[in-house]
Amino acid sequence: MRRLVPLTVLLLALSACGADHPAGTSASDPTPVTATPSATGELPPGCEPPPDAAEGDSWICVRTGDGGPDAEAANRERLAAQARESPGWSDEDAQRADEERLRQVAEQDDALVASGALPADRGPLLVRTDFSDQGRWDALLTTVDTPTAEGFRPSLSTIEQQRWNGASVSDVAAAAPPHVLVVVADATTFATPALPLLVAEREDDGVQEQRVVARALASVVDDLSTHTKDWEEFAAGADADGVFRGSP
């Protein structure tokens, strides 16, 4: 599984005092922040101390940030910079933290594949169910990751594993937690130049779905995630073939 762009904010406190091998997070593209309680005892939102933190300790909160072609190098540089600013940390500590984070992500992904479930804590998911054309898949990722004229990109966690090869939207929706948006890249997607993806969500009374071209995906994911628009509005705005190509 690899990240396309960041999705939810996932925070994990890393002890910076008395820790020889700091642990990492399960989120990609981390932006580290030093956390020290203020005079009022308040901490940055979502940043909690590690269980073994002592009074006066500082620790590292790692959260997701914007991705990009140089994201991996930027991640390492930010970790290294944070290490240099944090007492007791070195560049090697930052490197180990980054490697541990990636290892934990891989372990979680392997466990999910074995269970046949899709993750509940990574926001909207882009699931590849057709592996017949790597070039078309790469073109899709490029299109989806290209900001719109307004500067929007969909926040998606990419699922790219052979277990889902040939899976139907019903299979994917059944494996996803309720109320998690799932974007399916299937054979129909790659058969058309506009790359129409199938956006679906499992609700209490069934599965909602709408075919959306890749360049219009950002607005659809954002509007559905924030409840700015509902499924009926996108269906009403679709063309005669049932594909939503963006608002006029």
Side-chain angles (χ1 to χ4, degrees):
M1 186 183 299
R2 61 175 174 168
R3 299 276 298 213
L4 176 61
V5 289
L7 41 132
T8 55
V9 176
L10 303 175
L11 294 154
L12 178 62
L14 308 181
S15 176
C17 297
D20 293 330
H21 303 285
T25 71
S26 61
S28 65
D29 192 22
T31 303
V33 225
T34 301
T36 305
S38 66
T40 62
E42 296 179 351
L43 293 168
C47 182
E48 300 297 334
D52 57 349
E55 184 176 356
D57 279 358
S58 294
W59 53 92
I60 304 297
C61 284
V62 181
R63 64 186 179 187
T64 59
D66 289 337
D70 300 320
E72 183 175 353
N75 293 344
R76 294 183 186 279
E77 176 57 31
R78 285 195 294 270
L79 281 172
Q82 183 64 54
R84 289 191 292 271
E85 297 171 1
S86 301
W89 274 55
S90 66
D91 288 358
E92 289 74 19
D93 290 329
Q95 179 71 22
R96 284 195 295 269
D98 200 33
E99 291 172 352
E100 174 66 12
R101 174 183 58 81
L102 295 175
R103 183 191 64 78
Q104 290 184 5
V105 170
E107 286 184 353
Q108 290 179 2
D109 291 348
D110 290 343
L112 286 170
V113 171
S115 70
L118 290 170
D121 59 354
R122 301 189 189 180
L125 307 173
L126 172 61
V127 183
R128 183 181 184 182
T129 64
D130 183 275
F131 289 76
S132 62
D133 191 331
Q134 184 63 35
R136 294 287 286 161
W137 169 250
D138 292 339
L140 171 65
L141 294 182
T142 298
T143 301
V144 170
D145 200 32
T146 300
T148 65
E150 295 78 18
F152 297 124
R153 287 187 299 178
S155 294
L156 299 169
S157 184
T158 305
I159 312 286
E160 187 183 2
Q161 291 155 340
Q162 283 289 337
R163 186 195 188 286
W164 301 106
N165 191 11
S168 67
V169 65
S170 298
D171 296 332
V172 175
H179 309 296
V180 170
L181 283 180
V182 178
V183 181
V184 180
D186 57 8
T188 300
T189 300
F190 300 119
T192 307
L195 299 167
L197 297 146
L198 189 62
V199 182
E201 180 180 10
R202 181 159 65 92
E203 299 182 342
D204 297 336
D205 56 352
V207 176
Q208 297 274 12
E209 58 184 73
Q210 176 64 54
R211 186 75 64 174
V212 179
V213 296
R215 62 177 173 77
L217 184 64
S219 63
V220 174
V221 169
D222 181 68
D223 286 342
L224 288 175
S225 298
T226 59
H227 305 288
T228 305
K229 292 183 179 180
D230 56 28
W231 291 94
E232 289 73 17
E233 290 179 85
F234 287 113
D239 292 338
D241 58 359
V243 178
F244 181 80
R245 291 177 169 83
S247 301

